[in-house]
C-alpha cells in the first residue's frame, strides 16, 4: 500500500496543483454539473455536502449521491461531509474514501439547517471535538482529510483555529473570508486579510473563498493572499471585461452594444451556478450552457430531475423574469425531454429578440449584459433607514418598491414571508411557539418518537427493535409478534392435519387387515 500523500505533495501530485475550484453546493454540484464546469476551466470539484449519519445508515443515499457518480473524467474529486460525531464521521469517510481523492469536513455552512443539526460553522467554538474528528480521520483514512472554515472576527483567533486543524491532521484548508454572521442580506465583504494571515501561519495548501467578481480577481486574490487556489460557489460574480464580452457576441453574430459595469452598489452575487464558464473568463449565451448541460445529463444518467430543473432556473434566471409563461412551464414539466423543450423555446424567443434588435433598445433593469447572456444574479444591498431627512418620502418610496403583499398584512407583521405564504394557503395555521406541539425525542437517534410507541422510539428504531425481539407496536403498525404467532398456529394446524391424516391412514390399514384376517378364518 502506497504511503498517503500529505500537504503540498498531495496538492501537487493528487490535485495536480489545482487553482480553479468549484465548491460543494447542496443538490447543485452533482456529477453532470461538475463535468460541465471542468469542461470550462475548473480543475478541482467537490461533491455536494453529504450528511455523514445518513450516509452511514442508508445504502440508497450512498448509492445515489456518490457510488453511482463514479466517472474517470471527474477527477480530482473531494467528498464533503457534515458531521458532529468523530465515530460517525470516520465510518462515513471509510465508506467514501475509495470513490474520491480526499475527504472534506464542512465547518463553514452558516444556514439555519446547520444550526438545527449542530454542524458546519456552528462547531467552530468546539475545538476539542473538531481536533478529535480531524485526528481520528487522519489516522484511519487512506486518503487525506481537508477542512472548509469561516473566519472569526478576531484575526489571531482565526489563525489559532487554522493551526489547531493543521496540527490535528488537516492537509488542505479552504478559508471563506466571512464570519458566521455574514449571510443572506448581511453577507457583506469577505476579509482577505484573515485569509492572508492563515496562509502565512500554516504549512499546508490554502484555498480562498469570497470576493471573486471576475476572472482577474482570481489572479489578484492568489497574488495578494498567497493562496494556492480560489474556490467558486454561489457568492461571487463572473462578468467578463467589455473586450471579452464584445469578442463573445461577435463570435455569435450578435449586435454590439455599449456597456457600463457598475459594482459599487452590489454585494451578493452568484457565479458558477449562473455561468459555468467562470474560469474561462467569458459569458456565453445562456442556451449554449443549457444545451451542453442537458447533453451531459443524458450522457451520465441517472440525474435527479429536480437538480436539472434548478440549474435551468439559475441559468435562465434573468430571461424568465420576462417570459413568465415559460417560467411556469419549466416548473410543471416532469421529464428531461420536457425541460429540454422549454429551454429550446426560451432560446428561440431570445434569438427572435436578437434578430429584431430588441437587446440594443432596452435592457432588463440594471443588467450589464442582455438577459440572454450568462451573468450573475445580483442582489442590491439593503437600504439604510432615513435618520435625518424626509421620512415621508422614504415611506412612499418603500411602499412603491415593496413586493406584492399578502392578505392580512397587519396580522402577518411578525411572520416571515415563508410563514405568510403558508398562512395564505391555510388561514387556520397557528405559528405560535406556545401552541406548537412539543415532540419527545427517540431514545436512540434523537428523532421525534411515536406518541404511543411501546418502546418510546421513532418508527425506524422501533421497527429494528420489534423485528429483533419479535414484538408488536400497534402505534407504528408493526405486527412481528402477531405474524409469528399466526405463522406458528398455521404450522401447528398443518401438523395436526398431517397427524389426523396419518391416524386415519393407520385406522384404514388396521381395518383392512382385520377384514383380511376375518376372511381367512374357517367356517
Amino acid at each position: 500500500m502506497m504511503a498517503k500523500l500529505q500537504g503540498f505533495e498531495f496538492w501537487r501530485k493528487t490535485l495536480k496543483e489545482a487553482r480553479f475550484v468549484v465548491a460543494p453546493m447542496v443538490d447543485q454540484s452533482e456529477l453532470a454539473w461538475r463535468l460541465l464546469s471542468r469542461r470550462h476551466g475548473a480543475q478541482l470539484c467537490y461533491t455536494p455536502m453529504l450528511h455523514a449519519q445518513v450516509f452511514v445508515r442508508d445504502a440508497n443515499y450512498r448509492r445515489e449521491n456518490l457510488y453511482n457518480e463514479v466517472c474517470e473524467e471527474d477527477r480530482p474529486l473531494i467528498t464533503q461531509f457534515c458531521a458532529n460525531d468523530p465515530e460517525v464521521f470516520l465510518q462515513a469517510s471509510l465508506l467514501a474514501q475509495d470513490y474520491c481523492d480526499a475527504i472534506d469536513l464542512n465547518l463553514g455552512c452558516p444556514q439555519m439547517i446547520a444550526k438545527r443539526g449542530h454542524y458546519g460553522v456552528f462547531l467552530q467554538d468546539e475545538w476539542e471535538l473538531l481536533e478529535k474528528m480531524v485526528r481520528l480521520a487522519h489516522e484511519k483514512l487512506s486518503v487525506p482529510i481537508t477542512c472548509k472554515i469561516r473566519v472569526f472576527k478576531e484575526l489571531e483567533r482565526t489563525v489559532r483555529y487554522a493551526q489547531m486543524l493543521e496540527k490535528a491532521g488537516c492537509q488542505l484548508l479552504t478559508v471563506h473570508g466571512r464570519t458566521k454572521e455574514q449571510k443572506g442580506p448581511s453577507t457583506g465583504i469577505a476579509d482577505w486579510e484573515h485569509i492572508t494571515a492563515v496562509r502565512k501561519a500554516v504549512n499546508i495548501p490554502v484555498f480562498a473563498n469570497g470576493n471573486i467578481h471576475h476572472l482577474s480577481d482570481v489572479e489578484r486574490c492568489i497574488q495578494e493572499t498567497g493562496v494556492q487556489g480560489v474556490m467558486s460557489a454561489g457568492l461571487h460574480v463572473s462578468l467578463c471585461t467589455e473586450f471579452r464580452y464584445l469578442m463573445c457576441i461577435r463570435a455569435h453574430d450578435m449586435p454590439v452594444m455599449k456597456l457600463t459595469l457598475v459594482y459599487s452598489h452590489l454585494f451578493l452575487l452568484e457565479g458558477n451556478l449562473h455561468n459555468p464558464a467562470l474560469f474561462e473568463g467569458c459569458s456565453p449565451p445562456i442556451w449554449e450552457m443549457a444545451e451542453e448541460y442537458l447533453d451531459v445529463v443524458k450522457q451520465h444518467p441517472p440525474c435527479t430531475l429536480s437538480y436539472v430543473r434548478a440549474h435551468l432556473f439559475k441559468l435562465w434566471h434573468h430571461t424568465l423574469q420576462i417570459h413568465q409563461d415559460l417560467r411556469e412551464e419549466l416548473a410543471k414539466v416532469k421529464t428531461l425531454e420536457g425541460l429540454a423543450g422549454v429551454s429550446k423555446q426560451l432560446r428561440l424567443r431570445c434569438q427572435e429578440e436578437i434578430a429584431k434588435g430588441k437587446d440594443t433598445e432596452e435592457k432588463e433593469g440594471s443588467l450589464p449584459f442582455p438577459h440572454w447572456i450568462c451573468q450573475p444574479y445580483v442582489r442590491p444591498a439593503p437600504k439604510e433607514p432615513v435618520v435625518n431627512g424626509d421620512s415621508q418620502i422614504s415611506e412612499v418610496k418603500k411602499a412603491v418598491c415593496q413586493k406584492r403583499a399578502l392578505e392580512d398584512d397587519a396580522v402577518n407583521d411578525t411572520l416571515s414571508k415563508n410563514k405568510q405564504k403558508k398562512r395564505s394557503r391555510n388561514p387556520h395555521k397557528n405559528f405560535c411557539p406556545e401552541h406548537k406541539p412539543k415532540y419527545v425525542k427517540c431514545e436512540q437517534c434523537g428523532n421525534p418518537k411515536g406518541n404511543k410507541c411501546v418502546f418510546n422510539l421513532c418508527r425506524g428504531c422501533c421497527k429494528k427493535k420489534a423485528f429483533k425481539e419479535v414484538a408488536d407496536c400497534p402505534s407504528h403498525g408493526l405486527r412481528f409478534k402477531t405474524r409469528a404467532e399466526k405463522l406458528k398456529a398455521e404450522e401447528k394446524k398443518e401438523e395436526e392435519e398431517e397427524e389426523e391424516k396419518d391416524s386415519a391412514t393407520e385406522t384404514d390399514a388396521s381395518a383392512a387387515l382385520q377384514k383380511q384376517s376375518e376372511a381367512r378364518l374357517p367356517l
Side-chain angles (χ1 to χ4, degrees):
M1 183 177 177
M2 293 180 61
K4 181 167 61 176
L5 299 180
Q6 299 183 12
F8 282 96
E9 189 179 13
F10 160 66
W11 176 66
R12 282 192 292 268
K13 294 184 178 180
T14 304
L15 302 186
K16 302 173 184 177
E17 298 186 353
R19 300 171 70 209
F20 304 148
V21 186
V22 174
M25 295 174 282
V26 177
D27 295 344
Q28 297 283 266
S29 55
E30 83 287 355
L31 175 63
W33 191 259
R34 297 197 300 265
L35 292 176
L36 179 69
S37 298
R38 291 179 191 275
R39 289 183 182 183
H40 294 279
Q43 298 166 339
L44 169 65
C45 292
Y46 283 65
T47 66
M49 182 190 74
L50 305 177
H51 197 293
Q53 190 176 40
V54 181
F55 195 85
V56 169
R57 73 168 184 250
D58 193 336
N60 289 332
Y61 184 80
R62 295 195 292 272
R63 186 165 53 251
E64 292 170 3
N65 290 280
L66 185 62
Y67 296 173
N68 284 350
E69 295 198 342
V70 176
C71 177
E72 292 182 3
E73 303 170 50
D74 190 32
R75 290 296 182 96
L77 176 70
I78 296 179
T79 298
Q80 187 187 71
F81 286 109
C82 66
N84 55 23
D85 183 285
E87 292 297 335
V88 173
F89 177 54
L90 176 62
Q91 291 176 37
S93 301
L94 289 170
L95 290 169
Q97 66 178 357
D98 294 334
Y99 299 87
C100 58
D101 298 293
I103 300 294
D104 186 77
L105 177 59
N106 184 327
L107 300 176
C109 181
Q111 303 304 323
M112 184 55 67
I113 191 172
K115 185 176 183 178
R116 288 197 297 265
H118 192 55
Y119 58 80
V121 75
F122 298 97
L123 293 176
Q124 69 176 176
D125 293 317
E126 301 182 33
W127 290 17
E128 186 176 344
L129 172 63
L130 295 181
E131 184 178 9
K132 185 177 180 181
M133 291 175 70
V134 174
R135 189 179 302 281
L136 186 63
H138 173 61
E139 292 173 353
K140 301 294 183 180
L141 297 180
S142 60
V143 296
I145 174 73
T146 69
C147 297
K148 185 174 187 292
I149 66 172
R150 284 196 170 218
V151 300
F152 292 96
K153 291 181 181 179
E154 304 84 1
L155 191 146
E156 292 182 1
R157 192 179 181 193
T158 302
V159 168
R160 286 190 285 109
Y161 182 40
Q163 290 174 331
M164 178 275 292
L165 293 172
E166 178 191 15
K167 186 177 179 182
C170 177
Q171 302 303 317
L172 184 148
L173 197 61
T174 300
V175 184
H176 188 156
R178 292 183 173 89
T179 63
K180 177 170 60 177
E181 294 74 26
Q182 288 181 281
K183 60 181 180 180
S186 304
T187 296
I189 304 299
D191 190 344
W192 283 5
E193 184 181 350
H194 280 65
I195 300 175
T196 305
V198 170
R199 175 66 201 96
K200 291 179 179 178
V202 298
N203 296 310
I204 56 175
V206 175
F207 289 160
N209 188 205
N211 291 357
I212 307 302
H213 299 293
H214 41 78
L215 187 61
S216 61
D217 284 347
V218 174
E219 298 296 340
R220 185 167 63 87
C221 179
I222 292 174
Q223 291 177 3
E224 290 187 14
T225 62
V227 295
Q228 278 62 50
V230 173
M231 178 177 283
S232 160
L235 302 179
H236 57 268
V237 59
S238 151
L239 301 181
C240 303
T241 61
E242 183 173 343
F243 171 76
R244 284 177 178 149
Y245 170 69
L246 295 177
M247 294 298 291
C248 179
I249 61 176
R250 282 171 181 165
H252 294 86
D253 296 325
M254 302 171 188
V256 178
M257 60 183 293
K258 187 176 180 181
L259 302 175
T260 304
L261 305 182
V262 181
Y263 296 104
S264 59
H265 68 292
L266 308 177
F267 83 103
L268 182 57
L269 314 156
E270 292 199 31
N272 178 263
L273 293 178
H274 287 265
N275 181 11
L278 165 68
F279 295 121
E280 286 186 325
C282 182
S283 292
I286 295 169
W287 58 82
E288 288 188 2
M289 292 292 97
E291 290 173 359
E292 186 177 355
Y293 171 63
L294 290 170
D295 287 340
V296 177
V297 170
K298 291 177 184 177
Q299 293 169 15
H300 298 274
C303 185
T304 306
L305 194 68
S306 62
Y307 298 177
V308 182
R309 192 196 313 276
H311 280 301
L312 292 180
F313 266 119
K314 285 282 197 300
L315 288 170
W316 287 108
H317 175 83
H318 299 296
T319 302
L320 290 172
Q321 306 306 308
I322 301 171
H323 302 285
Q324 292 284 341
D325 58 324
L326 292 183
R327 180 184 182 84
E328 294 178 7
E329 190 67 25
L330 187 63
K332 290 178 182 177
V333 292
K334 297 183 178 180
T335 63
L336 191 61
E337 292 72 21
L339 293 175
V342 176
S343 185
K344 183 179 180 180
Q345 290 184 61
L346 285 164
R347 171 172 62 82
L348 293 174
R349 290 193 185 183
C350 290
Q351 290 175 338
E352 286 178 7
E353 290 181 20
I354 295 169
K356 294 177 181 178
K358 286 186 178 181
D359 59 309
T360 58
E361 296 174 5
E362 57 181 35
K363 291 189 294 179
E364 176 67 14
S366 59
L367 297 180
F369 302 152
H371 61 82
W372 40 263
I373 287 291
C374 283
Q375 55 192 306
Y377 164 66
V378 179
R379 183 188 300 173
K383 297 177 181 179
E384 297 181 359
V386 177
V387 180
N388 296 320
D390 193 345
S391 59
Q392 187 176 358
I393 296 174
S394 178
E395 289 297 324
V396 172
K397 191 174 181 181
K398 181 179 178 182
V400 172
C401 298
Q402 196 173 16
K403 289 186 177 180
R404 180 173 57 88
L406 296 166
E407 295 179 3
D408 299 326
D409 284 340
V411 181
N412 294 325
D413 282 343
T414 59
L415 296 179
S416 66
K417 290 182 180 179
N418 189 33
K419 289 182 179 178
Q420 289 181 44
K421 289 178 182 178
K422 291 181 180 179
R423 173 68 65 80
S424 67
R425 292 193 294 266
N426 182 8
H428 303 292
K429 193 169 183 65
N430 194 334
F431 295 102
C432 180
E434 296 176 359
H435 296 96
K436 191 174 181 181
K438 304 295 181 183
Y439 295 106
V440 181
K441 291 185 178 181
C442 169
E443 294 177 356
Q444 292 186 5
C445 69
N447 288 326
K449 82 173 187 69
N451 290 332
K452 298 180 181 180
C453 177
V454 296
F455 299 114
N456 291 321
L457 302 174
C458 66
R459 193 178 193 284
C461 297
C462 178
K463 187 176 180 179
K464 292 177 183 177
K465 187 166 184 177
F467 177 79
K468 186 177 180 180
E469 298 183 5
V470 192
D472 286 349
C473 179
S475 173
H476 286 124
L478 303 175
R479 301 282 188 274
F480 293 111
K481 183 179 179 180
T482 304
R483 290 175 186 172
E485 290 176 349
K486 185 178 179 181
L487 184 62
K488 191 175 181 179
E490 290 176 353
E491 291 176 351
K492 187 177 181 180
K493 187 177 180 180
E494 288 177 0
E495 290 177 1
E496 290 176 353
E497 290 176 353
E498 288 292 332
E499 289 177 0
E500 289 178 1
K501 287 181 181 178
D502 292 342
S503 62
T505 304
E506 291 176 1
T507 303
D508 293 342
S510 61
L513 288 172
Q514 187 175 359
K515 286 182 180 180
Q516 290 178 2
S517 60
E518 289 177 355
R520 290 174 184 172
L521 290 174
L523 297 172

